[in-house]
Amino acid sequence: MAHIHSKILILGSGAAGLTAAIYAARAGLVPTIVHGIQPGGQMTITTDVENYPGFADIIQGPWLMEQMQSQAENVGTNMIADIIVKTDLSTPPFRLEGDTGNTYSCDALIISTGAQAKWLGLDSEKKFQGFGVSACATCDGFFFRGKEVAVIGGGNTAVEEALYLTNHATKVTLVHRRGELRAEKILQNRLLNNAKIEVLWNCILTDVIGKTDHTNPEVVAMRVKDLSNGNVLELSVAGIFIAIGHTPNTEVFTGQLEMDDDGYLITKPDSTATDIPGIYAAGDVQDHIFRQAVTAAGTGCMAALEAEKYLAALDTDKMAAAE
Ligand code: NDP
């Protein structure tokens, strides 16, 4: 068991955390990243990535994250595998405990623990994840141009994703478990007036049907159960987008940092500052709207620059007090 003190401690090694580390390390702050069981974050469960700027050809999500990690380490980031189970953010230095028994303290903390898409929990959904089953239309919709797809859910995300997918797909079937949508009225109107979208009301996805005899598995159909009469339908689709919500990884900060009703950390406008000076939040842990690798990287950069400024002011204060 060890105690590790860092000027900047970064929680999470997705696009936000690694970008924050690259900036903090290049500012000479020798950051430590504590990453959990899925180093690289949500990008490591994605396959083809075509929308991260800088790459003319399709790249793989896990490869991109490996590159970001190497870049962060090459400029001087320490990477530690641990799961933070306890935090005390009441006064600086902030104190944290990992399930390895290691303890940590830091002068500035960047929280980039991300969020997890909620899944239905079907075995077939898991089997085809990244091969036709996705939780992000903006990321993967393009791969379904000229094909038929389905979206599962009835909230704002599901409706926005269905609308977005009509730019690529020939037909979008929205499968919703109730007879009315949770999404805002304006979005509902757009959805219901879009000729490319069909809504299956009171229906649930029960099975993803696909082929696994190719090098890459692919989705060919879905089985849907109509809860109003028990009928089971089988519909041809090439892609299924699960849009039933996300859960931010913020449990360990409950009661210590300001969060919204869904548990997302609240940051100040045009900033990554939380309600505690010296603590910053970047990436999906504070963003339930854009949720893109490139926006996460952008806020990671902002967090490092803001933390650097905060630490510089602390140093100036300490020098002034010593005089
Ligand atoms: P929501 O929690 O709002 O909606 C989730 C949807 O998925 C609901 O329709 C729910 O059904 C359905 N669902 C949940 N679990 C299951 C399940 N096991 N099986 C089938 N269906 C299920 O999540 P969103 O991601 O849509 O939105 C999250 C937050 O982000 C909201 O506050 C939303 O307003 C906001 N947001 C805002 C946007 C904007 O302003 N443009 C864009 C996107 C999100 P049911 O309705 O029956 O509960």
Side-chain angles (χ1 to χ4, degrees), residues 118-121 152-161 175-184 187 203-205 242-246 260 262 264 288-291:
K118 290 184 192 160
W119 299 96
L120 296 167
I152 317 298
N156 276 345
T157 304
V159 173
E160 282 195 345
E161 299 223 330
V175 180
H176 183 39
R177 64 181 177 183
R178 291 189 299 132
E180 67 179 306
L181 297 166
R182 182 180 292 279
E184 287 164 27
L187 288 173
C203 284
I204 54 165
L205 178 73
I242 311 292
I244 60 169
H246 284 75
D260 70 11
D262 296 318
Y264 287 88
H288 63 80
I289 296 175
F290 302 108
R291 297 191 190 113

Side-chain angles (χ1 to χ4, degrees), residues 140-261:
D140 300 326
F142 191 65
F143 301 120
F144 298 93
R145 53 195 179 276
K147 296 184 178 166
E148 296 191 9
V149 299
V151 176
I152 317 298
N156 276 345
T157 304
V159 173
E160 282 195 345
E161 299 223 330
L163 289 165
Y164 173 79
L165 286 164
T166 59
N167 296 325
H168 305 296
T170 48
K171 182 181 174 191
V172 179
T173 304
L174 185 89
V175 180
H176 183 39
R177 64 181 177 183
R178 291 189 299 132
E180 67 179 306
L181 297 166
R182 182 180 292 279
E184 287 164 27
K185 208 76 196 153
I186 186 167
L187 288 173
Q188 292 195 29
N189 290 341
R190 272 184 219 148
L191 179 101
L192 299 172
N193 289 321
N194 191 310
K196 275 189 169 181
I197 301 177
E198 184 188 353
V199 183
L200 294 182
W201 302 102
N202 302 304
C203 284
I204 54 165
L205 178 73
T206 55
D207 211 3
V208 177
I209 301 165
K211 285 198 258 181
T212 48
D213 51 347
H214 289 62
T215 344
N216 278 338
E218 62 177 303
V219 169
V220 294
M222 65 176 175
R223 216 166 270 140
V224 167
K225 185 175 178 182
D226 186 334
L227 298 174
S228 62
N229 54 22
N231 288 346
V232 175
L233 322 166
E234 196 170 306
L235 298 155
S236 293
V237 281
I240 301 176
F241 292 83
I242 311 292
I244 60 169
H246 284 75
T247 313
N249 300 316
T250 53
E251 217 172 294
V252 79
F253 312 111
T254 306
Q256 302 192 70
L257 285 168
E258 203 185 345
M259 297 177 190
D260 70 11
D261 292 344

